[in-house]
């Protein structure tokens, strides 16, 4: 599975960005896709993920109420709408997907649970 992100950039505090991640091919009835972020010197942290079959989302506490993950299965694309951005949201953001042989999202959205990664897109909030 190839993942291609777009939509990063620089915004002011309180602003919004929408990230997109298109998969080369991903089933509609199984699997899990989502987003991680990483700043230099820190571990990659899970931000949000969505169960492909049901659309059920999960969010990290730090982004609840501000970020929304969604999907368009017709074009194998996942979105991350980021509102009310804070300086602490500045990071390289990575799209991630589990192997599509897996039916559901992993219980814990951690980097070791992911099988496929995008190249990353930078988000800078100042």
């Amino acid at each position: 599975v190839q993942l291609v992100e777009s939509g990063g950039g620089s915004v002011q505090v309180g602003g919004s960005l929408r990230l997109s991640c298109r998969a080369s091919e991903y089933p509609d009835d199984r699997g899990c896709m989502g987003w991680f972020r990483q700043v230099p010197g820190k571990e990659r942290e899970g931000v949000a993920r969505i169960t492909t079959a049901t659309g059920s989302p999960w969010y990290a506490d730090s982004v609840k109420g501000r970020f929304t993950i969604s999907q368009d299965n017709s074009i194998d694309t996942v979105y991350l709408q980021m509102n009310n951005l804070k300086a602490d949201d500045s990071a390289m953001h990575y799209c991630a997907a589990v192997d599509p042989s897996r039916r559901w999202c992993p219980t814990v959205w951690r980097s070791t649970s992911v099988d496929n990664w995008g190249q990353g897109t930078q988000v800078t909030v100042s």
Side-chain angles (χ1 to χ4, degrees):
V1 178
Q2 305 293 322
L3 303 174
V4 179
E5 302 114 329
S6 60
S10 297
V11 294
Q12 293 185 333
V13 170
S16 298
L17 284 173
R18 189 175 84 151
L19 306 183
S20 299
C21 173
R22 184 156 189 169
S24 55
E25 188 174 38
Y26 210 74
D28 295 344
D29 61 350
R30 59 195 318 114
C32 180
M33 293 182 66
W35 298 89
F36 286 75
R37 65 187 181 187
Q38 188 172 28
V39 296
K42 290 192 174 181
E43 291 188 2
R44 198 168 290 191
E45 67 165 340
V47 175
R49 60 114 171 101
I50 189 165
T51 303
T52 306
T54 65
S56 175
W58 168 88
Y59 300 97
D61 287 344
S62 57
V63 307
K64 278 182 184 175
R66 301 188 298 121
F67 291 13
T68 303
I69 190 169
S70 60
Q71 62 185 4
D72 185 342
N73 290 343
S74 67
I75 55 171
D76 296 336
T77 299
V78 171
Y79 304 98
L80 187 68
Q81 178 66 45
M82 305 184 294
N83 297 329
N84 191 20
L85 282 160
K86 305 176 180 180
D88 286 348
D89 295 318
S90 296
M92 185 69 78
H93 284 65
Y94 295 90
C95 180
V98 303
D99 189 279
S101 64
R102 297 166 66 177
R103 181 70 185 267
W104 307 113
C105 285
T107 303
V108 179
W109 190 234
R110 60 166 69 104
S111 60
T112 53
S113 302
V114 171
D115 303 293
N116 302 279
W117 294 98
Q119 80 281 2
T121 185
Q122 179 67 38
V123 171
T124 302
V125 186
S126 60

